[in-house]
Structures are given as structure tokens and as C-alpha cells.
Amino acid sequence: MYSDKKITKEDTWRPEDLRRHLQGQDRKSQRRERSKREEVQRTHRTGESTERTRQDSETDVRRERERQREKESTSERTNLREPEKEREEESRRKEKREKERRKERERVGEHLGWERRTERDDKETKDREEKQIQRYKKRDEKLGRYKERDREKERYRDKDREAERDRWKEKEREKQRKGREKNRERGGRKDYDWEKEREGGEREKERERERRRAERGKEEKAEKERGKEKEGSVEDKHREKEKEHERERRERHREREYSQEQEEWRERKRREKAGHRQLSGPVDREERERRKREKELWEAEENGGALHNAREAERHNHHHHHPGGEGGADRDRTREREKHKEKRYEDSKSSHGNRDQGVESDEVGGMKNEDYEEDFEDYEEDFEEVDEDEGKEEEEDENGESEGWRELSAHRSDEIKAIQRAMEEENELVSATLTRPPTKEAEAAHRDLLSAQTERRPARVQTHGRVIDFTAARQREVSQQAARRQQKRSVELLRLIELDFSVTESLLDLPPVSEYDMYIKSFGMSNTKQVYVQCNEDNTDQDTQTEEPDTHEKWTLHPAETNAVSGGPKVSQNAQESVAWMNGDSKRLSTFLHSAAQVIAVLLEENRTGSDSVKGLDSHIDSLSCSDRTLQLNTKLPLIHGRQVTLLHFSNVQVHILLSVHAPRCGPSEDTLDTHTLLCVWNIWEPSAPQKFLICEAEVQSCCFSPGQLSLVFAGTAVGSVLLWDLREHSGSHMCLRVNTEEWTLRYPTFSTDAVLSVAGHLSSVVSVEPVLVTMEAEFRGPLLAAQEESLGLSFQLGSLDENGLLILWVVVELPKADDSGSQTDLGLRPGGKVKLLHSSSLQTCDGSTSRGVAEVTEVMPHLSLLLRFLPSDSNHYFIGTNMGQVKRGTRHGLRVVPKLYTPAEGMRPAEVTALDFCPNREPFFLVGCSDATVRLHSLVRAEPMCGWSVGSGSVPTHTVCWCQTRLTVFFVLDATSVLHVWDLAEREDGPISSENLHPDRVTGMAVFGDADNRRSSSGFALVRQSGRLEIHFLKQSLALFRTSDMKTLRSLAHNML
Amino acid sequence: MDGSELRTNTYLIRPNYQHKFRVGVVEKCIREIQREQLSGVQYVSEEIPSLSLSLANSIKNRLKELGFNRYKLVVQVVIGEQRGEGMKMAARCFWDADTDSYAKDIYVNDSLFCVAAAFGIYYY
């Protein structure tokens, strides 16, 4: 049935078809199908047309249409009987109502003809409505230009058609008759009945319509070519149509159930409307009239434009007021027509403007059912033609349309229905070829539509919904096509390209701002301003406001070891110097300091006491005849004030150093110091105070300095002990006594022979201590020797003599290291002392021989040793003065010396030797003073004295005899009455050159000083008075100056004496 | 169908080099527009929708002038108020990385932040 081609074509026109299908739901679907097929077939068979087949087909067509009509409704039968009347009435009414439209009326007048009355009416109405609609659509400017053209063409066509119709009439009738007979034979009885009734105008109408259709077909090719050829083609068309109708009839039987349902429903409605009226004619008429009224309203609306809505509303109201009333179906139709109009309007818009006429034709169809349906058919055909011949000219279409109106007849609705059915099937098939989901949808839509048709046909809303459905379907179709294209495209493209997920890109990452940051952001920079920027970031500098204290690491050591007392790794330059200094010769330094200090001290003292001595001392001290200058030592110090000086001793080496022994104070005293004996070391040039204080408990009978260095002081005590002081000891290690504001260091003896050496010591009081000078010849002695002694250290012997004549020689030993904790073995050694005395040997000087001689003389008195002197030229020889006026001479090593005794000239007599003094300068002479007021000058070689003098009155014992150190012929004799006698043997041999009474203050002691070796040095003597005053007298130049003649004088004297 | 077959032969799978979506250029463009339209703008919630729309449109139009032929351009502009809250935005695309790309730029001032991203998708 269906060609493949058609299916492909369906693609293009299907949506429209669907729409049409909706429009002509009930009957038209069949018609449409038919017409389509006719057209299709016609196009196929255009060359083959023959008269016979044409006639047959025409008759067939007519028959079928009639049959359809009859089937449709009973009312239509009545319509068929009185078509002309009705039309006339309608035309009249229309004319009356529509006087305004004069042109159309004139046209009507022109075409007044009996036969074509209906046609004309149709036409007029059509034209009128066309105009109206055109006017209505004038708004659409595109369409506006077609209007006039169409009108003219229609006029033309009408004339042509009329002519053709005349020609055709008779032929057609004959053909129709024949065809009718055939139809009767083939078809059912109904067809036969209907045909009879429909004879006459109906047939003519049909014929004309057929003709028109054919003409349209021809005009498709060209307007001018109108003639037999066209007619032939038209006949062909008819033929084909008829053939199809035959087929369709059979189909219709199938489909009739469906269509009949619709028809029955419609008839039911009509019956209800008609109510008591049995005749369908009046019903139809009423309906028509009513419809006309409505149409007028409609037209008016269209004309009025603005009123349209209101009136439509009225009309709707009207319908609503008569639900189930007369015009149910008609109303539906009108409504459908309206819809058609709208749809066509849309279609025309979308496809071609020339379809407007087709739209208008609907209005005409409203006059009666047949017309109405014809209109539809016409429209459908037009549409199909348009669809089929899209490429053809618009004008042809217009012509075809306008002609089609006339040709269509109402009784072909059945056929249309059948066609519609077929189309539906086709559509379904076609849609089935499409993608599935749309097909389903379409089917569903169809089903809905069908069900709606059967069940609720009058539902207006439903019809509306259908319309929308189909547009949607069309859109879907379009979109599906597009989608298909896209799909294909994508399939092809996706083979070529590769899609992938991109990495998740972060578009924005805004971290939350903490409260602190917020605060800093808003307030952090407040009250601050940037002053400068540091460009060179690593060039930063740091500084502190406080200065770090200087620290140096140092150390000190006490006592110093290896000459270093302090030091440190980071010492300053001064400290380093000091360390370097300390590392130097400390011995030399100390020596220097020692001597320098003495010099400085002396100088200071001289400055200080210069004025005093000038003022006070010189004034107080009586200047002696032999002395030109005197000096007074300050003995008014608290420690020594009031003490009697018992002994004075000058150093042999350093003649200005004076040692004075202060006896304990007389009378009871609470102070323990008063019972002690004090020894003071003076420098006569520092007369203000003694250099050192030495202290001991016992009474000191004798004292002496060490021979070389003035570092040691020895003392022999009344209790038989020998004491030793080391003056080098530091003052800190000795007792410190604070008297008034001055501090005095009291040095206790470094070594004492007291109890320790009791066995080997003296058992009686020590009357004299004398250092043993180095045993060498006097000639060798000199400053060099002294220096050697010093350098050699303290290594000499000390002789001590007690009253019993026991001479003990001690060896002075200096310990290499002092022991602060004291010595275990040397108990006499003071802790920290370094010098001690070792018992060397003991000599009993009072031997039997001497004692026998002495005993003769002095039976009543013991023989006492009083004085000890070592021969300065040979320390091996010692001289001891005795209480018998004799001087013993002995040697330490038992050598025999001559003479052993030096006795006075008058022989032995009880006289104490109070003084013994050797001539300085190692001359072999010595002076002896005796308590019997005699002074003797002895030569070493002779026992008898060279000279003897009686001092003073001869009753005053001599106290001291001192040889002047610088002049060999001058010596001083102090007697007990404090008279100082000065002898100068060069001037006077028999007596003193001067005697000077030193009263009133008795002189208790005297000592001379002067350097025999250095003859230019000053020499003098020290006198100590009873009051404790200590005076230094410097001798006059005449007495002090060395004279070489003195030696000759002395030797001559000695020679003379011998 | 013939047409589509023909078209098959005319597929341009890769853009010409001079028409390629260049991220740098687009970013610069976006940045310029953001600076122009957002400098000194305070966040006012009523004005932001229109502002973001206009921003997106101007970016789009500017990008069109750059001649990315056959590129479909999608411009997204998000403007939010800057109040210290943390925020994260991310995009993920299903596309052909050879031809398609995107460019974005962020503008931030005291009161608002604006993220503008332009995606260029090549139409084959």
C-alpha cells in the first residue's frame, strides 16, 4: 500500500499531517488519506490517463462520496433535498447583513446563475470571509500583498470554471450514472439509497469539485496551460481516487467501527438537539442559522478586532447555556473551524502565505455541514499539494485552493475518515522508524487522541490540548532530528578526540583570618610609622646600653715562689711588667731598696732634725772641747724613756749604727715590758727613733753586732744565755706594741741558748760576747773581705765569756729554710727563725797555772774574767781582762803565745780591768783601763806596759778607755766621775792634753765610732748620761784627722820604752 | 546524511595556533576588566548581582574580540564579601585538555573578593 518513497517523504510533512489529522479527527482522516493517495497516484500515473478509466474512477468517487454522506447522518439526507433553498436563504441573510461589503455583492450579482448559485454563494461567502480574514491577517504584512491578486485570479478562474462546467455537465452525468450502477453492484444497499437521493445538484457539485481539483492539479504546472490536457490529468486523478476508494471501502469496513462510534455519537447528539423534530432538514437549518449568527458574530469580531474576545466569550457562554442542546456537534465543528483557522494561520505563517484562502474557506463551510467538510477537505488537499509540491509557485497553490473549495463535497467525509485512519497508521509506522522514545510518545499521543475522539469528543479543552501536543511533537521531531545529527556527529568526533577530566583546579583559596590577624590588620599599625627601611638585611648591628665590666683573670701567690707573686693570662701591661720585674734579681732589688731606704730615711731625718739640732740639741748639749759637733738621739720615746743605758756599741763595719742597751726600769712596775731589757738599734743619722727594738727578759751584760753584715745582734745576759736577733726578720712576725699613736715592733731573740743549751752553755753570767773575725791576716782584710763575708753568708763564730772564764765559741749557722711551725730539735730557735747558734767549743781560760799565780795574790777574792777581746789582726788570740789588773792572752787552738799575761808595772794588785781597747789600724798596742784609776799602754810583745798614767786624782776608777779610731795617738778616758780625759801622745806623753768634766749629768756609758780604714770619715764618740740622754759628739778635725806621724810617734814611744 | 558525511571531512579537530585559547592573554584581559570595574568598589549586596553580571558580560565580550574562533566561552564571576571567612572554590571540567582551557583571576580589596573564570571550550 505504502511506497517506501512515501515514508521518506513523510519526514518532511509529517508534523503538518499530524496537525491536520487532529483537525479532521473524525471524518477527515479518511478523506485525507484518500486524497493523499490520489494525489500520489496521480503524480505517478500522469501519462496513462484514458477516458474510460477516468470515467469509472469519477463515478466511483461520486458513489463513494454519496455513500459516505448517507452514512454520516440522517440530517444530511434532508440537507441534500433542499440545498438550494437553504443556500438562497443564507445568501439573502448574508446580503442583508453584509451590505457594507458592496464589492462582494456586486460580484455576486455578476455571477448570478441558477446552477452555480450555491457555488457562487460559497464563493461569495468564501471571498467575503477571505477578505475578512485577510483583513484580520493584514497585520501580517507578508500576506497582505496576496489578497488582491487572489481576488482577481479567483474571478478569472470562476469564469473558466463555469465554462468548463457547462461542457462537463452532460458528460459527467452520464458517467455518473454508469458509475452509480457499478457502485450499486459492488457496494452495499445504503450506497444505492443515498445515490438516488443525491442525484441532481449534488452530482453537479461533486463534478465541479472534481473538476476544480483537477484544475488545481493542472495549475500546479502552469496557469496558462489549462485545457484538455489538464482535464485529462484531472480525470486520471479521479480515476485513481475511485480506485482507491474501492480499496478504502474495504478498509472502511474495518475502520467503520471506529468511525461509526463517532457518527453514532454525533447522531445521538443531533437527535437530542433536534429533540421532537423528526426531520433532519429543519434541524440542519436551525443549526445553520445559528451557526451563521455565530459566524457573523465571529466575523464581526474579526472585523471589529477588539470586540473579538468579548463576542467569543458571548458565544461560548451561549454554548454553555445550551449544554446538550441542538448544536452540540455543530458547535464543536465551529470550534474546530476556529481552531482550523488558527492552525492554518499558523501554518500559513510557517509555510506559505497563500494558504490564507484555505483558512477562509472554513468560514464558508460553516454555512452547512457539507461545505464545512468540503472546506476541510479542500484545505487538506491544498495542504497536501503544498506539501507535495513545495517547489511550485504560490499562485498555483492559491488557485488550487480557491477551486478546491467548490469541488469538495460534504459526503466525502467518509472517505476522508478512512484516509485519516490510514494516515494515522502511516504516521505510527513512520514514527516507529524513528528513535524509540519519540515513537512511544507519538503512539501515546495518538492513543490519547483516539480515545478522546471516541469518548469525549466535544471537550473543547481536549482539542486544545491535542493541538499543543502536536506542536510539541513536531518540535520533538525537529529536536530529535537535530539530536540525531548531533549524535552522529558526536560519534564521529569522539573517535577522533579524547575527553578527560581536568584536574580539579582551585579557583580561589581564601584562608580564614584569625582574630589576631584581624586585630593586627586593623589596629596593628596604629600609632606607628615607618621611619626607614633596612635595605641590606644582613648588615644589622646590635648594641647594648650598659657597658660590660672589664674582667681580668689574675692570681697571686704568697709567699712568693720563684720570684713571682702575681700573674695571670690576661694581665695588663703594668702587671706583666711587675711580673717581669719580680722575675728579675730580687736579691739585688732588696739590697738596693734596703740601702736606698736607709739613705732616704737618713736624708729625711736630717731635714727634719736639722733645725732641732741647731736649736735644741746644740744648745742643750755642752759642746766638748774635743768635739766640734754634737748630736742627740731621741731617747724620750715611751718605750725607752726613763731607762738607764748600760751599754753602747758601735758597729765596726757600719760606724753609724749604734746599739744601745736599756736596762729595765727601776722600781716596781706593772708593765711586764719594764722588767725586760730593751736593745735599740740606732742610726746616728736618724736620731728621732731607733730603727729596731729588741727585747729580752734577762739583763744584758754585753752585746755585739755580727762582723760583716749588720743583720745579727748578739747579746750575753746575766743569766748565762747568749741571745741572737736576726734583724732581717719581717716585722710582721714579731710582737707589735702600740704606744700612743706609734707602733713599735718588739723583736724577741731569734735564738736563745737559755735552757736548751744549758749543758753546753754558760753557767754564770756572760760578761762578754765577741764575734770571731775571719781568721786571716790583717793585711788581707779589706772591703773585699767584708763583701765576701756577706756573699758567703753568715758563717762565723761567736765567742762568749762568762764570769768564770769559760769561753764558748759558737758557730752561727743560717738555716736554708725557715720553719714557721718551729723546730723540733732546735728548741732555742724562734719559730720562723733562720739563724741559730751551734756550740762549737768551750775553753776554760782560768787554768790552774794562772789560777795558782792569782791565788797567791788574791786569796780572798775569786778570779773573775771581766772582758773578752779578740785580737783584731788575729782572731785566734783572745785577751781577757781580769779583776786582778791583768790581761790574759790565749789562743783558741792552744797555741802558746808570749806573753801570756800582761800585768801592770807595779805588779799584780787587785784592780779590775774595766776597759781594754786595741789600737785601731791593727797596730800591736792596746790600752787597758783599770779601776784603780790607771791607764796602761801595752805592746803585744811585752808583758810590762809601755806607759802608765794615773787618771785624775788617782782615786777615780776609769770607766771606759777608747782609742780614737782615726788617730792612733789619741785616746779617750772616761772616769767614773764623768770626766773625760783626752790623750794625744803626739803632743804630750805624760798626761792628757785635756780633761773635761761632763757634770752635772753623769755619763754612764761611752763608745767611739769611726772608720779606721776610711780616714776621711767622721769619727766621734757617743755619750750616754744617767738621765738616759744619748749624745753623739763629733771630734775636732785636729783629733779626728789621721796623721801618719802618729804611727812613728807610737813606735818610737814603744821603742823608747823598751 | 550526505551533508553530514561531507561535514565529517571538514571537522576541525584542533584550532589554529593563532586562534587557540591563550590563558595568559585571557587572564590579562580579565585582570584589566576587574581592575577597571572593581577598583574602589565597596560590597553592597544589592548591587552585586548586577555588577557580577555586567562584569561577566564585559569579560565575555572582550574575549570575543580576541578572536578565539570556534570557541564556546563560559564566563563565571563570583563576588563575595570579604569578612575574614575562609573560602574555597574549585572547578573541574570534562573536556579535551588539548584544546580547552580556562583562565581565572582573583581581585581582592578590603570589602570584597571577585573570582572571574573564563572557560574556553573548542567546538569541533
Side-chain angles (χ1 to χ4, degrees):
Chain A
M1 233 178 136
Y2 314 110
S3 66
D4 290 336
K5 263 188 185 176
K6 224 183 180 178
I7 292 170
T8 54
K9 273 196 173 180
E10 289 284 325
D11 286 342
T12 55
W13 53 261
R14 201 177 54 90
E16 291 171 354
D17 250 10
L18 288 170
R19 222 174 286 161
R20 250 171 264 139
H21 163 76
L22 240 193
Q23 292 161 3
Q25 280 288 320
D26 30 10
R27 285 161 275 172
K28 282 175 220 158
S29 59
Q30 295 173 350
R31 264 185 280 162
R32 220 180 283 151
E33 268 188 341
R34 185 202 57 186
S35 63
K36 258 186 242 162
R37 273 161 212 158
E38 282 172 3
E39 285 156 10
V40 170
Q41 285 167 1
R42 185 179 56 198
T43 51
H44 283 300
R45 298 179 189 177
T46 34
E48 307 168 4
S49 61
T50 54
E51 278 286 11
R52 190 185 56 82
T53 52
R54 194 202 306 164
Q55 285 175 352
D56 290 347
S57 68
E58 280 185 355
T59 50
D60 283 347
V61 169
R62 254 169 245 147
R63 246 178 279 146
E64 282 175 11
R65 277 179 195 166
E66 284 167 6
R67 221 187 301 147
Q68 280 180 333
R69 279 282 161 100
E70 287 167 3
K71 272 183 230 162
E72 269 185 37
S73 64
T74 52
S75 65
E76 282 182 2
R77 286 172 219 159
T78 57
N79 288 349
L80 290 171
R81 283 168 208 161
E82 310 166 330
E84 295 172 1
K85 280 183 189 174
E86 291 168 1
R87 274 165 209 162
E88 284 177 42
E89 285 174 6
E90 285 174 3
S91 64
R92 256 181 281 141
R93 282 170 205 158
K94 279 180 188 170
E95 283 169 5
K96 285 172 194 169
R97 279 173 220 144
E98 303 164 1
K99 280 172 188 171
E100 315 102 285
R101 302 165 197 172
R102 289 161 200 166
K103 282 182 183 178
E104 283 133 47
R105 277 171 89 192
E106 285 172 8
R107 220 196 294 161
V108 171
E110 285 174 13
H111 299 292
L112 252 174
W114 191 97
E115 296 166 350
R116 288 154 232 155
R117 186 83 181 258
T118 53
E119 296 170 8
R120 248 184 289 148
D121 286 350
D122 284 352
K123 228 191 153 186
E124 283 169 7
T125 52
K126 246 189 258 169
D127 288 348
R128 253 180 277 140
E129 287 170 8
E130 277 174 7
K131 279 176 197 164
Q132 290 164 9
I133 289 171
Q134 280 167 0
R135 251 176 264 145
Y136 168 65
K137 291 174 182 173
K138 254 183 185 174
R139 294 160 208 162
D140 198 346
E141 294 178 359
K142 288 177 191 174
L143 308 177
R145 43 186 153 126
Y146 296 120
K147 230 198 290 174
E148 292 183 356
R149 242 195 292 165
D150 290 349
R151 262 179 239 148
E152 290 173 3
K153 281 171 196 167
E154 278 165 26
R155 268 173 231 150
Y156 259 108
R157 274 172 224 158
D158 286 351
K159 285 171 190 171
D160 294 343
R161 274 172 220 152
E162 282 167 5
E164 284 176 354
R165 265 172 229 153
D166 292 336
R167 263 183 279 150
W168 272 91
K169 258 183 205 169
E170 294 179 359
K171 291 177 192 174
E172 289 280 311
R173 273 170 205 161
E174 291 174 7
K175 285 170 196 170
Q176 281 180 346
R177 267 171 227 146
K178 289 171 193 172
R180 236 176 279 148
E181 287 171 4
K182 284 174 193 172
N183 279 345
R184 257 173 243 150
E185 292 169 8
R186 263 180 269 164
R189 288 162 212 162
K190 285 176 190 173
D191 292 347
Y192 178 71
D193 294 339
W194 302 138
E195 277 178 26
K196 274 183 187 171
E197 291 171 5
R198 282 184 198 171
E199 278 181 8
E202 284 284 335
R203 272 177 216 159
E204 288 176 5
K205 266 189 239 164
E206 281 204 351
R207 251 178 269 147
E208 284 176 358
R209 273 173 209 151
E210 293 286 337
R211 226 190 305 151
R212 246 182 275 161
R213 219 182 275 168
E215 282 172 5
R216 233 190 295 153
K218 281 180 248 165
E219 284 164 1
E220 286 166 7
K221 294 157 191 170
E223 258 191 332
K224 295 165 188 173
E225 299 173 8
R226 248 178 245 152
K228 284 173 186 176
E229 291 178 3
K230 291 174 197 171
E231 290 171 7
S233 69
V234 172
E235 285 172 1
D236 284 352
K237 208 169 76 178
H238 283 300
R239 240 183 292 147
E240 288 167 8
K241 271 184 191 171
E242 284 170 2
K243 280 179 189 171
E244 279 191 0
H245 286 317
E246 293 289 332
R247 263 176 271 146
E248 284 167 3
R249 239 173 277 146
R250 278 169 242 143
E251 292 174 3
R252 226 178 292 148
H253 289 297
R254 268 185 285 141
E255 298 168 1
R256 199 164 282 166
E257 291 179 4
Y258 174 70
S259 61
Q260 267 181 345
E261 281 179 1
Q262 291 179 338
E263 284 170 6
E264 281 168 12
W265 182 83
R266 240 181 276 158
E267 282 179 357
R268 239 185 294 144
K269 282 256 174 182
R270 274 170 206 157
R271 266 169 233 147
E272 287 171 4
K273 286 179 228 160
H276 34 272
R277 267 181 270 163
Q278 296 295 325
L279 288 172
S280 60
V283 176
D284 279 359
R285 215 177 289 154
E286 280 180 10
E287 286 177 3
R288 266 174 230 145
E289 285 175 3
R290 192 175 52 79
R291 248 189 272 161
K292 270 181 195 166
R293 258 176 274 132
E294 289 174 2
K295 215 182 279 171
E296 285 162 12
L297 276 172
W298 176 244
E299 287 163 4
E301 283 167 19
E302 286 175 343
N303 292 331
L307 295 170
H308 170 87
N309 287 335
R311 279 180 198 169
E312 207 173 38
E314 280 181 9
R315 194 189 48 195
H316 289 316
N317 288 338
H318 180 66
H319 293 312
H320 289 301
H321 289 312
H322 307 280
E326 332 162 62
D330 293 338
R331 256 181 274 144
D332 286 346
R333 276 176 209 158
T334 54
R335 260 167 240 146
E336 283 176 359
R337 243 183 290 139
E338 290 166 11
K339 281 169 219 155
H340 284 312
K341 268 195 278 175
E342 291 165 8
K343 279 169 214 158
R344 267 177 222 158
Y345 179 44
E346 289 168 8
D347 288 343
S348 64
K349 264 189 187 171
S350 61
S351 58
H352 296 286
N354 54 19
R355 249 174 258 158
D356 294 348
Q357 284 116 2
V359 177
E360 287 151 18
S361 68
D362 271 354
E363 306 295 327
V364 182
M367 291 159 69
K368 51 179 180 177
N369 283 336
E370 294 94 329
D371 287 352
Y372 171 65
E373 278 154 8
E374 281 169 14
D375 290 345
F376 273 137
E377 201 174 287
D378 237 5
Y379 168 69
E380 303 294 349
E381 284 169 7
D382 287 352
F383 222 70
E384 283 154 17
E385 279 173 7
V386 169
D387 289 339
E388 287 170 0
D389 314 317
E390 280 177 347
K392 287 176 184 175
E393 295 176 20
E394 294 172 359
E395 290 179 3
E396 287 178 354
D397 285 347
E398 288 160 16
N399 289 334
E401 282 169 21
S402 58
E403 288 170 3
W405 293 116
R406 289 165 214 157
E407 289 176 2
L408 289 171
S409 63
H411 60 68
R412 283 156 70 188
S413 59
D414 279 359
E415 295 173 5
I416 292 167
K417 265 190 188 173
I419 291 167
Q420 278 181 331
R421 293 269 176 277
M423 276 182 66
E424 277 178 6
E425 289 174 3
E426 280 179 7
N427 290 341
E428 284 173 6
L429 269 170
V430 168
S431 62
T433 60
L434 301 174
T435 51
R436 268 197 172 182
T439 318
K440 277 176 194 168
E441 285 177 40
E443 282 174 358
H446 278 297
R447 250 176 273 133
D448 291 346
L449 289 172
L450 291 174
S451 61
Q453 284 165 5
T454 52
E455 292 168 15
R456 312 178 294 166
R457 213 191 154 211
R460 204 169 45 182
V461 181
Q462 189 68 29
T463 52
H464 274 291
R466 279 171 211 152
V467 171
I468 291 164
D469 276 350
F470 273 90
T471 50
R474 194 201 171 200
Q475 285 168 355
R476 254 200 308 278
E477 172 67 16
V478 171
S479 63
Q480 280 161 12
Q481 269 189 326
R484 244 182 295 138
R485 254 180 243 137
Q486 292 279 341
Q487 198 184 356
K488 183 170 174 294
R489 188 184 158 76
S490 68
V491 165
E492 287 168 358
L493 276 169
L494 281 170
R495 277 180 302 182
L496 301 171
I497 59 176
E498 192 176 335
L499 295 179
D500 52 354
F501 277 108
S502 67
V503 185
T504 305
E505 279 120 336
S506 174
L507 294 180
L508 173 67
D509 193 351
L510 208 63
V513 182
S514 68
E515 267 184 46
Y516 177 74
D517 290 342
M518 204 66 181
Y519 175 80
I520 286 300
K521 197 178 161 192
S522 47
F523 303 111
M525 295 302 287
S526 60
N527 295 331
T528 64
K529 65 176 180 182
Q530 189 162 6
V531 177
Y532 65 89
V533 178
Q534 171 97 23
C535 299
N536 198 3
E537 234 175 68
D538 49 342
N539 190 15
T540 54
D541 193 14
Q542 245 183 344
D543 204 0
T544 52
Q545 291 182 331
T546 56
E547 286 179 6
E548 274 188 23
D550 287 331
T551 56
H552 296 290
E553 208 172 307
K554 296 197 176 180
W555 54 264
T556 62
L557 179 63
H558 177 78
E561 193 170 288
T562 66
N563 303 325
V565 291
S566 69
K570 286 186 178 178
V571 290
S572 65
Q573 205 167 357
N574 291 336
Q576 272 177 340
E577 278 174 5
S578 75
V579 167
W581 233 84
M582 292 303 289
N583 286 334
D585 191 351
S586 64
K587 236 175 213 174
R588 273 185 60 199
L589 173 68
S590 62
T591 308
F592 167 77
L593 284 177
H594 205 255
S595 56
Q598 283 179 357
V599 172
I600 298 294
V602 167
L603 290 174
L604 288 172
E605 188 75 16
E606 281 176 351
N607 286 339
R608 191 166 59 84
T609 60
S611 58
D612 290 346
S613 60
V614 169
K615 289 179 202 167
L617 288 179
D618 283 357
S619 62
H620 284 103
I621 298 171
D622 304 330
S623 171
L624 296 177
S625 58
C626 62
S627 66
D628 58 350
R629 191 157 64 96
T630 61
L631 189 65
Q632 188 175 9
L633 298 179
N634 182 14
T635 54
K636 292 172 182 172
L637 292 170
L639 275 177
I640 55 180
H641 182 69
R643 289 175 187 256
Q644 192 175 1
V645 176
T646 55
L647 282 173
L648 284 175
H649 185 82
F650 277 97
S651 165
N652 291 333
V653 180
Q654 291 180 310
V655 290
H656 57 277
I657 297 300
L658 171 69
L659 181 67
S660 62
V661 176
H662 301 261
R665 283 197 181 98
C666 307
S669 172
E670 296 173 357
D671 194 352
T672 53
L673 275 178
D674 290 343
T675 61
H676 287 54
T677 304
L678 274 175
L679 289 83
C680 292
V681 180
W682 298 87
N683 185 342
I684 57 169
W685 308 117
E686 300 175 50
S688 61
Q691 287 182 326
K692 288 180 173 67
F693 287 98
L694 312 177
I695 191 169
C696 64
E697 289 89 353
E699 185 187 351
V700 174
Q701 302 273 340
S702 62
C703 64
C704 70
F705 281 107
S706 60
Q709 202 173 6
L710 284 175
S711 55
L712 295 178
V713 173
F714 301 97
T717 63
V719 295
S721 65
V722 177
L723 303 177
L724 182 152
W725 283 271
D726 186 358
L727 299 179
R728 298 167 301 177
E729 281 178 358
H730 198 268
S731 61
S733 60
H734 291 276
M735 191 179 80
C736 182
L737 183 66
R738 194 180 188 89
V739 180
N740 295 332
T741 58
E742 287 179 278
E743 274 188 4
W744 306 102
T745 301
L746 302 179
R747 297 167 183 266
Y748 279 90
T750 302
F751 189 81
S752 171
T753 60
D754 273 335
V756 177
L757 298 172
S758 58
V759 177
H762 297 280
L763 296 176
S764 57
S765 62
V766 176
V767 293
S768 182
V769 287
E770 276 284 325
V772 179
L773 296 176
V774 179
T775 55
M776 52 179 60
E777 296 302 315
E779 291 78 20
F780 297 108
R781 280 199 66 208
L784 184 63
L785 187 66
Q788 276 177 341
E789 273 181 8
E790 282 184 24
S791 66
L792 288 171
L794 299 171
S795 172
F796 61 94
Q797 284 184 324
L798 178 75
S800 61
L801 178 75
D802 60 11
E803 289 175 329
N804 292 327
L806 179 66
L807 175 66
I808 298 177
L809 293 172
W810 307 91
V811 177
V812 178
V813 177
E814 185 176 12
L815 298 173
K817 188 178 177 184
D819 190 356
D820 284 340
S821 60
S823 172
Q824 296 281 330
T825 55
D826 297 326
L827 296 178
L829 189 63
R830 180 180 174 274
K834 287 173 76 177
V835 183
K836 69 175 184 180
L837 297 173
L838 281 176
H839 183 266
S840 174
S841 58
S842 297
L843 289 173
Q844 186 56 51
T845 57
C846 298
D847 50 354
S849 60
T850 54
S851 63
R852 183 178 39 105
V854 170
E856 287 173 11
V857 180
T858 56
E859 290 172 350
V860 289
M861 337 182 21
H863 191 202
L864 291 175
S865 295
L866 299 173
L867 220 78
L868 174 70
R869 286 286 184 274
F870 286 99
L871 183 69
S873 56
D874 186 1
S875 57
N876 243 346
H877 299 259
Y878 58 88
F879 294 82
I880 295 169
T882 63
N883 54 352
M884 292 310 286
Q886 292 175 320
V887 173
K888 294 180 191 173
R889 184 182 173 182
T891 60
R892 289 184 293 166
H893 302 295
L895 297 174
R896 263 188 92 79
V897 284
V898 197
K900 279 179 78 178
L901 284 171
Y902 300 93
T903 58
E906 53 271 19
M908 286 185 62
R909 59 184 178 150
E912 289 176 11
V913 175
T914 56
L916 179 78
D917 196 14
F918 287 97
C919 177
N921 211 8
R922 294 182 192 82
E923 291 299 317
F925 306 100
F926 64 93
L927 284 170
V928 176
C930 291
S931 58
D932 56 354
T934 56
V935 174
R936 301 170 296 182
L937 176 63
H938 285 275
S939 169
L940 287 176
V941 293
R942 279 183 71 149
E944 289 79 24
M946 292 188 319
C947 304
W949 301 277
S950 171
V951 177
S953 59
S955 59
V956 178
T958 57
H959 188 270
T960 304
V961 175
C962 296
W963 207 299
C964 178
Q965 296 294 318
T966 54
R967 268 193 81 173
L968 299 178
T969 58
V970 176
F971 60 89
F972 306 96
V973 176
L974 179 68
D975 62 12
T977 57
S978 299
V979 176
L980 181 63
H981 307 274
V982 179
W983 262 272
D984 186 354
L985 295 176
E987 292 183 15
R988 184 182 166 193
E989 290 181 9
D990 56 344
I993 54 171
S994 66
S995 290
E996 195 166 358
N997 195 351
L998 298 177
H999 288 288
D1001 196 359
R1002 197 171 61 94
V1003 174
T1004 56
M1006 179 184 174
V1008 294
F1009 65 91
D1011 193 351
D1013 296 329
N1014 188 1
R1015 289 168 183 120
R1016 288 199 182 95
S1017 70
S1018 61
S1019 64
F1021 56 91
L1023 294 175
V1024 63
R1025 310 273 182 166
Q1026 198 175 6
S1027 62
R1029 207 171 67 185
L1030 220 165
E1031 296 167 358
I1032 308 294
H1033 295 264
F1034 295 92
L1035 293 173
K1036 289 178 182 172
Q1037 289 299 321
S1038 58
L1039 293 175
L1041 280 175
F1042 178 75
R1043 293 179 190 173
T1044 52
S1045 60
D1046 288 345
M1047 186 73 75
K1048 290 172 186 172
T1049 308
L1050 206 59
R1051 284 187 183 166
S1052 66
L1053 183 67
H1055 182 68
N1056 292 335
M1057 296 287 278
L1058 292 173
Chain B
M1 286 189 165
D2 290 354
S4 63
E5 281 168 11
L6 279 172
R7 204 183 277 173
T8 309
N9 298 330
T10 63
Y11 288 151
L12 276 175
I13 294 184
R14 293 284 176 274
N16 288 329
Y17 180 73
Q18 64 268 25
H19 297 147
K20 200 172 189 313
F21 191 83
R22 294 181 294 273
V23 175
V25 176
V26 178
E27 263 181 4
K28 192 181 160 197
C29 177
I30 292 172
R31 189 175 300 125
E32 279 175 11
I33 291 172
Q34 276 182 333
R35 296 288 178 283
E36 281 170 20
Q37 300 199 12
L38 289 177
S39 58
V41 173
Q42 295 291 310
Y43 185 89
V44 181
S45 58
E46 289 81 17
E47 295 170 4
I48 289 306
S50 61
L51 179 63
S52 57
L53 189 63
S54 74
L55 201 61
N57 282 329
S58 55
I59 290 172
K60 189 184 71 186
N61 293 332
R62 182 80 68 89
L63 294 184
K64 278 179 181 173
E65 293 167 10
L66 294 177
F68 301 129
N69 291 353
R70 300 191 64 146
Y71 266 100
K72 302 287 182 194
L73 298 169
V74 179
V75 177
Q76 185 192 22
V77 173
V78 174
I79 297 178
E81 189 171 8
Q82 175 98 304
R83 307 195 73 165
E85 283 87 356
M87 174 147 175
K88 278 195 179 185
M89 268 180 70
R92 201 172 188 206
C93 310
F94 182 66
W95 63 19
D96 185 357
D98 291 341
T99 58
D100 308 334
S101 182
Y102 88 103
K104 60 127 188 184
D105 197 37
I106 302 168
Y107 177 86
V108 177
N109 66 16
D110 285 343
S111 76
L112 58 81
F113 63 90
C114 172
V115 183
F119 300 85
I121 294 105
Y122 185 70
Y123 184 73
Y124 299 99

